[in-house]
Amino acid sequence: RSEIRKRPALFFFSSDLQERYESFNKDFGPIDICVIFHFCSLMRDVSKEQPNSPLVYYCTDEPEMCTNTALLLACHLTL
């Protein structure tokens, strides 16, 4: 949180979308298309609400969450 306070020009936000995966066994992805759609909608909405601020999406430092978050961000950038 202290890092967030040091950068007031940036808009930091997160969600639990990268955690919405029902594992088959001990896996953690890939995330299904519905979660990708919801994440892209979230990014679009936040971009509209904060048109003049650079957006910073963050997640926990757990490897599985980082991987799923990277996938969601890549899908957003692709679409």
Side-chain angles (χ1 to χ4, degrees), residues 10-61:
L10 302 176
F11 183 77
F12 289 84
F13 70 108
S14 188
S15 73
D16 66 345
L17 289 172
Q18 71 274 7
E19 299 172 8
R20 291 189 187 173
Y21 177 74
E22 306 230 1
S23 64
F24 177 70
N25 193 359
K26 292 184 180 181
D27 57 339
F28 58 89
I31 296 173
D32 68 41
I33 193 73
C34 293
V35 173
I36 293 170
F37 175 79
H38 287 294
F39 181 79
C40 290
S41 297
L42 170 71
M43 292 296 291
R44 183 193 65 230
D45 294 344
V46 172
S47 295
K48 287 180 182 178
E49 292 171 8
Q50 302 292 327
N52 300 319
S53 297
L55 304 179
V56 178
Y57 186 86
Y58 65 93
C59 68
T60 66
D61 60 355

